[in-house]
Structure formats: structure tokens, C-alpha cells
Amino acid sequence: MSSAKNLIFHVRPGGCLTGTLRVPGDKSISHRSIMLGSLAEGTTQITGFLEGEDSLATLQAFRALGVEIAGPVDGKVTIQGVGMHGLKAPTGPLDLGNSGTSMRLLAGLLAGQGLELTLVGDSSLSSRPMRRVTDPLRAMGARVETTEQGTAPLVIHPVDHLNGIDYALPVASAQIKSCLLLAGLYAKGTTRVTEPAPTRDHTERMLSGFGYPVQRVGATASLNGGGKLTACDIDIPADISSAAFFLVGASIAPGSDILLEHVGINPTREGVINILRLMGADIEVLNQRDVGGEPVADLRVRSADLHGIRIPVDQVPLAIDEFPALFVAAACARGETVLTGAEELRVKESDRIQVMADGLASLGVDATPTPDGIVIQGGSIQGGRVGSHGDHRIAMAFAMAALRAEGKILIDDCSNVNTSFPGFVRLAGSVGLAIDSEEEN
């Protein structure tokens, strides 16, 4: 869904972040609210929905599958659920844009619908690995085709039924886990998914919220096929992945003091807070509460003198989307920061290890990529021009780096920021980041 024009961020150096803000709604929860609300019996009302391109791709897909969805208007969405077996064949392929979550979760949810379907995406999504979901789906009896390279388009053929499986995830991935649990809704028997390390559990929490029992024993989540979903109201918290840029920005820029409101602090997503605190960050968790089964809080962040650390391996899956921002924190910290066990970063919207290492190096930071991580020597950040490779999180991370840079930073290829954080430039500017954007032919 990228624009043909090059959207460039111009970020002037220095300044600090002050004030109060609420970042957009959680993307992971926004996706799942549309999926489960569509399959529920009754009307689901959603507030706080992320009106970014990724979440809207999921919404449009379910409209194409025959679901009546009103909105979004100011984050409010109303879904008239069609029940577990009420989806209709679309008139053409379902275009999921840049959204890996949409494609991988829908592959599972649609595998047992008895419909002939094709899932397509943009050039970035079409290069991302899909066998990690299609192989276990085939083991359940699904008929799902990929390209010879194991990438999209995915073609789903009707089957009589799926069978539950016991599956041990080869990598810690909430997308694979969720894909198989959603397929398990339509499978005979029990589907069990065991993960090597904890990953975000929004799917399990939301299934329970819609009245579908999910069992959790140790590292294994399981459910029985053949149940139903009952509509409910969902208030989506602010996305900690989007808040992460401001957690880092306020930590590195002297004089900063910001309050981030209503942020989701699900324990499977708290890695960015834990890692920053280990580096010496001053992050206060205030007004903790529970909203629709998800823990939320307000986060106050003040500038701090960060130091390099060896990032604990057990925190890596809990912060997998936040590492571009954390790499910027490492570049501003005293001493060396070492990340290992994060090979998953190489198959995100871009190879986030290599792209961040290249960008940091072009800004004068000593950053050495490794097969499963990176070694960053903290120091000064120069001005310069970096490429985001169409990756929204890379673009926003380098924007925050300008708070400590010695010169202006220009960031290329930023239009995909709208996939997760519409209004980023305006909101970041409102709390003190000196940022503008322009299109270049």
C-alpha cells in the first residue's frame, strides 16, 4: 500500500519531549477484534480501533467476505457478526497490503471455511516467509498453496474438515500460534500449540472474551473445535509498540517528561519497558487497570542516563517489534549493548537487524550485525540520510534518534508509517520532536 512517491521525514536535531499523549490503538488487538467480531453471533462494538492501513486491510477483507461493518469513525467500529459459518466467498483476491498479521492469521481462520480463497499482499508482504503457517495447516488437513519460494499469494482450497494437532512452534511467534488456534476453531478434536518462549497472548485472551474456552497449561495453549463466539464490546488500549518510540525518545533527550495514556501493558508485551529499565530508564507505571481482559496503565517517562546492557534472551520475544527503537536507545547509551537470540528480526517488514545496522552506521554509530542480533557501541549520533526500506518501525526509530543527533536526519520511504501509526508526524511534533514530512517524486 506504499505510495509511489518517496515520503521523506525531515527531523531537526535536539529538543526534548514534554506533555501528555495517547498513541493509536493496539494493532494486534485491532486485527483480532475484527476477526472474532465477524465470526461471533450478535453485534460487537469496538472503541479505540487503530485506523492504520494494516488493521484496515483486515477490516476490508471481512467486508469482502460478506460481513457488515460500520466505521471506523474516531476509532469506533460496529460489526454485525455472521457466526462461525456465515462467511461468503469474495468476488476476488483478498488484498492484505503490508500486513503479515492479517495474512498469517487469516490463513488459519479461513482454512476450514469450505471456501476457495486467494490472499495477496504488497511486494514487502509477498517476500515474507509463509511456510511457517502453511506447513502446520497442511498437517491439520488444510489445502493451502504458496509460491515455490513459500511466499504469498496463498491459495486456500475447500476441505471437508480440519483435524486438531499437537504442534511445537519452531520459533517463538504469536502469529503462528494464533493462526493454528484460529484454524483449531474449525478442527475436529483438540488443537494444542506449545511455544518455546512466551509470545503475546491477545488471541487467547480475546477468544475467552468472546466466550470461547482456551486452556493454558505451562507453555501450551489448547482449544477444542466446534464451539461458537458470542459478541461483546471491546475497548482497545493504546499500542505499546507505538508508545515505544516515545519511551525511547523521552529517555534519551535531556529535559524530557511525558505521560503516555491508556497503554496496553500485557505481560507478553512488556519487554520494551523491562529492557529500558535495565538500561537505567526512568519509567513509572501509573493508574493500572484492566480493560476487557487486557491490562492497561499510564506511563510517565523522564530522561535518564542510559547504559549499555546484554539484553536478556527471555525478553527478546516480549519486545520483538520494539527493537528498532531500542537500537536507538543503545546508540545513545554509555558502553556496549549486545542483542542475541533475535533472528526473527530478519524476516519482519524488512531485515531489521541489517537495515538498522546500516542506518546507524551512516549516522556514525558503531553497530555490528550478527546472525541473530547486533552489537552497538553507544556514543554520538551524526546527522545524515537513512533509508527505512519501507519499514514503518525503522522510520519512526530514526526520527527519535534526531533528539540526540548533531545534525538533521532525513529518512526515506516513510509512507508505510501509516500502516501502524497514522498521524505520527503531527503527534510527535505536538510533544516536541522537530519533524516535518514531504513527498519527493
Coordinates of all heavy atoms in Angstrom, one line a residue, residues 235-295:
D235 N -12.8 -2.5 24.2 CA -12.1 -1.2 24.3 C -10.6 -1.4 24.1 O -9.9 -2.0 24.9 CB -12.4 -0.5 25.6 CG -11.7 0.8 25.8 OD1 -11.2 1.4 24.8 OD2 -11.7 1.4 26.9
I236 N -10.1 -1.0 22.9 CA -8.7 -1.4 22.6 C -7.7 -0.4 23.2 O -7.8 0.8 23.0 CB -8.5 -1.4 21.0 CG1 -9.4 -2.4 20.4 CG2 -7.1 -1.6 20.7 CD1 -9.5 -2.4 18.9
P237 N -6.7 -0.9 24.0 CA -5.7 0.0 24.6 C -4.8 0.6 23.6 O -4.6 0.1 22.5 CB -5.0 -0.9 25.6 CG -5.2 -2.3 25.1 CD -6.5 -2.3 24.4
A238 N -4.1 1.7 24.0 CA -3.0 2.2 23.1 C -1.9 1.2 22.9 O -1.6 0.4 23.8 CB -2.5 3.5 23.7
D239 N -1.3 1.2 21.7 CA -0.3 0.2 21.4 C 1.0 0.4 22.0 O 1.7 1.5 21.7 CB -0.2 0.2 19.8 CG 0.4 -1.1 19.3 OD1 1.3 -1.7 20.0 OD2 0.1 -1.5 18.2
I240 N 1.5 -0.5 22.8 CA 2.8 -0.3 23.4 C 4.0 -0.3 22.3 O 5.0 0.4 22.5 CB 3.1 -1.4 24.4 CG1 4.3 -1.0 25.3 CG2 3.4 -2.8 23.8 CD1 4.5 -1.8 26.6
S241 N 3.7 -0.9 21.2 CA 4.7 -0.8 20.1 C 4.9 0.6 19.6 O 6.0 1.1 19.2 CB 4.4 -1.8 19.0 OG 4.5 -3.1 19.4
S242 N 3.7 1.3 19.5 CA 3.8 2.7 19.1 C 4.3 3.6 20.2 O 5.0 4.6 20.0 CB 2.4 3.2 18.7 OG 2.0 2.5 17.5
A243 N 3.9 3.3 21.5 CA 4.4 4.0 22.6 C 5.9 3.9 22.8 O 6.6 4.8 23.3 CB 3.7 3.5 23.9
A244 N 6.5 2.8 22.3 CA 7.9 2.5 22.5 C 8.8 3.7 21.9 O 9.8 4.0 22.5 CB 8.3 1.2 21.8
F245 N 8.4 4.3 20.8 CA 9.2 5.4 20.2 C 9.3 6.5 21.2 O 10.3 7.2 21.3 CB 8.6 5.8 18.9 CG 8.5 4.6 17.9 CD1 7.3 4.0 17.6 CD2 9.7 4.1 17.3 CE1 7.2 2.9 16.8 CE2 9.6 3.0 16.5 CZ 8.4 2.4 16.2
F246 N 8.2 6.8 21.9 CA 8.2 7.9 22.9 C 8.9 7.5 24.2 O 9.5 8.4 24.8 CB 6.8 8.4 23.1 CG 6.2 9.0 21.8 CD1 5.4 8.2 21.0 CD2 6.4 10.3 21.5 CE1 4.9 8.7 19.8 CE2 5.9 10.8 20.3 CZ 5.1 10.0 19.5
L247 N 8.8 6.2 24.5 CA 9.5 5.7 25.7 C 11.0 6.0 25.5 O 11.7 6.4 26.4 CB 9.3 4.3 25.9 CG 7.9 3.8 26.3 CD1 7.8 2.3 26.4 CD2 7.5 4.4 27.7
V248 N 11.5 5.6 24.3 CA 12.9 5.8 24.0 C 13.2 7.3 23.8 O 14.2 7.8 24.4 CB 13.3 5.0 22.7 CG1 14.7 5.4 22.2 CG2 13.2 3.5 23.0
G249 N 12.4 8.0 23.0 CA 12.7 9.4 22.8 C 12.8 10.2 24.1 O 13.7 11.0 24.3
A250 N 11.9 10.0 25.0 CA 11.9 10.8 26.3 C 13.1 10.3 27.1 O 13.6 11.1 27.9 CB 10.6 10.6 27.0
S251 N 13.5 9.0 27.0 CA 14.6 8.5 27.8 C 15.9 9.2 27.4 O 16.8 9.5 28.2 CB 14.7 7.0 27.7 OG 13.5 6.4 28.3
I252 N 16.1 9.4 26.1 CA 17.4 9.8 25.6 C 17.6 11.3 25.5 O 18.7 11.8 25.4 CB 17.7 9.2 24.2 CG1 16.7 9.7 23.1 CG2 17.7 7.7 24.3 CD1 17.0 9.2 21.7
A253 N 16.4 12.1 25.5 CA 16.5 13.5 25.3 C 16.5 14.3 26.6 O 15.5 14.2 27.3 CB 15.4 14.0 24.4
P254 N 17.6 14.9 27.0 CA 17.6 15.6 28.3 C 16.4 16.6 28.5 O 16.1 17.3 27.5 CB 19.0 16.3 28.3 CG 19.8 15.5 27.4 CD 18.9 15.0 26.3
G255 N 15.8 16.6 29.7 CA 14.7 17.5 29.9 C 13.4 17.0 29.6 O 12.4 17.7 29.8
S256 N 13.3 15.8 29.1 CA 12.0 15.2 28.7 C 11.2 14.7 29.9 O 11.7 14.3 30.9 CB 12.2 14.0 27.7 OG 12.8 14.4 26.5
D257 N 9.9 14.8 29.8 CA 8.9 14.4 30.8 C 7.6 14.2 30.1 O 6.9 15.2 29.9 CB 8.9 15.3 32.0 CG 8.0 14.8 33.1 OD1 7.3 13.8 32.9 OD2 8.1 15.4 34.2
I258 N 7.2 13.0 29.7 CA 5.9 12.8 29.1 C 5.1 11.8 29.8 O 5.6 10.9 30.5 CB 6.1 12.4 27.6 CG1 6.9 11.1 27.4 CG2 6.7 13.5 26.8 CD1 6.8 10.5 26.0
L259 N 3.8 11.9 29.6 CA 2.8 10.9 30.1 C 2.1 10.3 28.9 O 1.4 11.0 28.1 CB 1.8 11.6 31.0 CG 0.8 10.6 31.7 CD1 1.6 9.8 32.8 CD2 -0.3 11.4 32.4
L260 N 2.2 8.9 28.8 CA 1.6 8.2 27.7 C 0.3 7.5 28.4 O 0.5 6.7 29.3 CB 2.5 7.1 27.2 CG 3.8 7.7 26.5 CD1 4.9 6.7 26.4 CD2 3.4 8.1 25.1
E261 N -0.8 7.8 27.8 CA -2.1 7.4 28.5 C -2.6 6.1 27.9 O -2.5 5.8 26.7 CB -3.2 8.5 28.3 CG -2.8 9.8 29.0 CD -3.9 10.8 28.9 OE1 -4.5 11.0 27.8 OE2 -4.2 11.5 29.9
H262 N -3.2 5.3 28.8 CA -4.0 4.1 28.4 C -3.3 3.1 27.6 O -3.8 2.6 26.6 CB -5.3 4.6 27.7 CG -6.4 3.6 27.6 ND1 -7.2 3.3 28.7 CD2 -6.9 2.9 26.6 CE1 -8.1 2.4 28.3 NE2 -7.9 2.1 27.1
V263 N -2.0 2.9 27.9 CA -1.2 2.0 27.1 C -1.4 0.5 27.6 O -1.4 0.2 28.8 CB 0.3 2.3 27.3 CG1 1.2 1.4 26.5 CG2 0.6 3.8 26.9
G264 N -1.5 -0.4 26.6 CA -1.6 -1.8 27.0 C -0.3 -2.3 27.5 O 0.8 -2.1 26.9
I265 N -0.4 -2.9 28.7 CA 0.9 -3.5 29.3 C 0.7 -5.0 29.6 O 1.1 -5.5 30.6 CB 1.2 -2.7 30.7 CG1 0.1 -2.7 31.7 CG2 1.7 -1.3 30.4 CD1 0.5 -2.4 33.1
N266 N 0.2 -5.6 28.6 CA 0.1 -7.1 28.6 C 1.4 -7.7 28.9 O 2.5 -7.3 28.4 CB -0.4 -7.6 27.2 CG -0.6 -9.1 27.1 OD1 0.3 -9.9 27.4 ND2 -1.8 -9.5 26.7
P267 N 1.5 -8.6 29.9 CA 2.8 -9.1 30.3 C 3.6 -9.8 29.2 O 4.9 -9.8 29.3 CB 2.5 -10.2 31.4 CG 1.0 -10.2 31.6 CD 0.4 -9.1 30.7
T268 N 3.0 -10.2 28.1 CA 3.7 -10.8 26.9 C 4.2 -9.7 26.0 O 4.8 -10.0 25.0 CB 2.8 -11.7 26.2 OG1 1.7 -11.0 25.6 CG2 2.3 -12.9 27.0
R269 N 4.0 -8.4 26.4 CA 4.4 -7.3 25.5 C 5.3 -6.3 26.3 O 5.6 -5.2 25.7 CB 3.2 -6.5 25.0 CG 2.2 -7.3 24.1 CD 2.7 -7.6 22.7 NE 2.9 -6.3 22.0 CZ 1.9 -5.7 21.4 NH1 0.6 -6.0 21.5 NH2 2.1 -4.6 20.7
E270 N 5.6 -6.6 27.5 CA 6.3 -5.6 28.4 C 7.8 -5.6 28.2 O 8.5 -4.8 28.9 CB 6.0 -5.9 29.9 CG 4.7 -5.4 30.4 CD 4.6 -5.6 31.9 OE1 4.9 -6.7 32.4 OE2 4.2 -4.6 32.5
G271 N 8.4 -6.3 27.3 CA 9.8 -6.4 27.1 C 10.5 -5.0 26.9 O 11.5 -4.8 27.5
V272 N 9.8 -4.1 26.2 CA 10.5 -2.8 25.9 C 10.6 -2.0 27.2 O 11.7 -1.4 27.5 CB 9.7 -2.0 24.9 CG1 8.3 -1.7 25.3 CG2 10.4 -0.7 24.5
I273 N 9.6 -2.1 28.1 CA 9.8 -1.4 29.4 C 10.9 -2.1 30.3 O 11.7 -1.4 30.8 CB 8.4 -1.5 30.2 CG1 7.4 -0.7 29.4 CG2 8.6 -0.9 31.6 CD1 6.0 -0.8 30.0
N274 N 10.8 -3.4 30.3 CA 11.8 -4.2 31.1 C 13.3 -3.9 30.6 O 14.2 -3.6 31.4 CB 11.6 -5.7 31.0 CG 10.2 -6.0 31.6 OD1 9.6 -5.3 32.4 ND2 9.7 -7.2 31.2
I275 N 13.5 -3.9 29.3 CA 14.8 -3.7 28.8 C 15.3 -2.2 29.0 O 16.4 -2.0 29.4 CB 14.8 -4.0 27.3 CG1 14.6 -5.5 27.1 CG2 16.1 -3.6 26.6 CD1 14.3 -5.9 25.6
L276 N 14.4 -1.3 28.8 CA 14.8 0.1 29.0 C 15.1 0.3 30.5 O 16.1 1.1 30.8 CB 13.7 1.1 28.6 CG 13.6 1.3 27.0 CD1 12.3 2.1 26.7 CD2 14.8 2.1 26.5
R277 N 14.3 -0.3 31.4 CA 14.6 -0.1 32.8 C 16.0 -0.7 33.2 O 16.7 -0.1 34.0 CB 13.5 -0.7 33.7 CG 12.3 0.1 33.8 CD 11.2 -0.6 34.6 NE 10.2 0.4 35.1 CZ 9.0 0.0 35.6 NH1 8.7 -1.3 35.7 NH2 8.1 0.9 36.0
L278 N 16.3 -1.9 32.6 CA 17.6 -2.4 32.8 C 18.8 -1.5 32.3 O 19.9 -1.5 32.9 CB 17.8 -3.8 32.1 CG 16.9 -5.0 32.6 CD1 17.0 -6.2 31.7 CD2 17.5 -5.3 34.0
M279 N 18.4 -0.7 31.3 CA 19.4 0.3 30.8 C 19.5 1.6 31.6 O 20.3 2.5 31.3 CB 19.1 0.6 29.3 CG 19.2 -0.5 28.4 SD 18.7 -0.1 26.7 CE 20.1 0.8 26.1
G280 N 18.6 1.6 32.6 CA 18.6 2.8 33.5 C 17.5 3.8 33.3 O 17.5 4.9 33.8
A281 N 16.5 3.5 32.4 CA 15.4 4.4 32.1 C 14.5 4.6 33.3 O 14.3 3.8 34.2 CB 14.5 3.8 31.0
D282 N 13.9 5.8 33.3 CA 13.0 6.3 34.4 C 11.6 6.2 33.9 O 11.0 7.1 33.3 CB 13.4 7.7 34.8 CG 12.5 8.3 35.9 OD1 11.6 7.5 36.4 OD2 12.7 9.4 36.4
I283 N 11.0 5.0 34.0 CA 9.6 4.8 33.6 C 8.7 4.4 34.7 O 9.0 3.4 35.4 CB 9.6 3.6 32.5 CG1 10.5 4.0 31.3 CG2 8.1 3.4 32.0 CD1 10.6 2.8 30.3
E284 N 7.7 5.2 35.0 CA 6.8 5.0 36.1 C 5.4 4.5 35.5 O 4.9 5.0 34.6 CB 6.5 6.3 36.8 CG 6.1 6.2 38.2 CD 6.0 7.6 38.9 OE1 6.5 8.6 38.3 OE2 5.4 7.6 40.0
V285 N 4.9 3.4 36.1 CA 3.7 2.8 35.7 C 2.6 3.2 36.6 O 2.6 2.9 37.8 CB 3.8 1.2 35.6 CG1 2.4 0.6 35.2 CG2 4.9 0.8 34.7
L286 N 1.6 4.0 36.1 CA 0.6 4.6 36.9 C -0.8 4.1 36.6 O -1.0 3.8 35.4 CB 0.6 6.2 36.8 CG 2.0 6.8 37.0 CD1 2.0 8.2 36.5 CD2 2.4 6.7 38.5
N287 N -1.7 4.2 37.5 CA -3.2 4.0 37.2 C -3.4 2.7 36.5 O -4.1 2.6 35.5 CB -3.7 5.2 36.4 CG -5.2 5.2 36.3 OD1 -5.9 4.6 37.1 ND2 -5.7 5.9 35.3
Q288 N -2.8 1.6 37.0 CA -3.0 0.3 36.4 C -4.5 -0.1 36.5 O -5.1 0.0 37.6 CB -2.1 -0.8 37.0 CG -0.7 -0.6 36.7 CD 0.2 -1.7 37.2 OE1 0.0 -2.9 36.7 NE2 1.1 -1.5 38.1
R289 N -5.0 -0.7 35.4 CA -6.4 -1.2 35.5 C -6.6 -2.3 34.4 O -5.7 -2.5 33.6 CB -7.4 0.0 35.2 CG -7.1 0.7 33.9 CD -7.4 2.2 34.1 NE -7.2 3.0 32.9 CZ -6.1 3.6 32.5 NH1 -5.0 3.5 33.3 NH2 -6.0 4.3 31.4
D290 N -7.7 -2.9 34.4 CA -8.0 -4.0 33.5 C -9.1 -3.6 32.6 O -10.2 -3.1 33.1 CB -8.4 -5.3 34.2 CG -8.2 -6.5 33.4 OD1 -7.1 -6.9 33.2 OD2 -9.2 -7.0 32.9
V291 N -8.9 -3.6 31.3 CA -10.0 -3.2 30.3 C -10.2 -4.3 29.3 O -9.4 -4.7 28.5 CB -9.6 -1.9 29.5 CG1 -10.6 -1.5 28.5 CG2 -9.3 -0.8 30.5
G292 N -11.4 -5.0 29.5 CA -11.8 -6.0 28.6 C -10.8 -7.2 28.5 O -10.5 -7.8 27.5
G293 N -10.2 -7.5 29.7 CA -9.3 -8.6 29.8 C -7.9 -8.3 29.5 O -7.0 -9.1 29.6
E294 N -7.6 -7.0 29.1 CA -6.2 -6.6 28.8 C -5.8 -5.6 29.9 O -6.5 -4.6 30.2 CB -6.1 -5.9 27.5 CG -6.3 -6.9 26.3 CD -5.0 -7.7 26.0 OE1 -4.0 -7.4 26.6 OE2 -5.1 -8.7 25.2
P295 N -4.6 -5.7 30.5 CA -4.1 -4.7 31.5 C -3.6 -3.5 30.8 O -3.0 -3.6 29.7 CB -3.0 -5.5 32.2 CG -2.5 -6.5 31.2 CD -3.7 -6.9 30.4

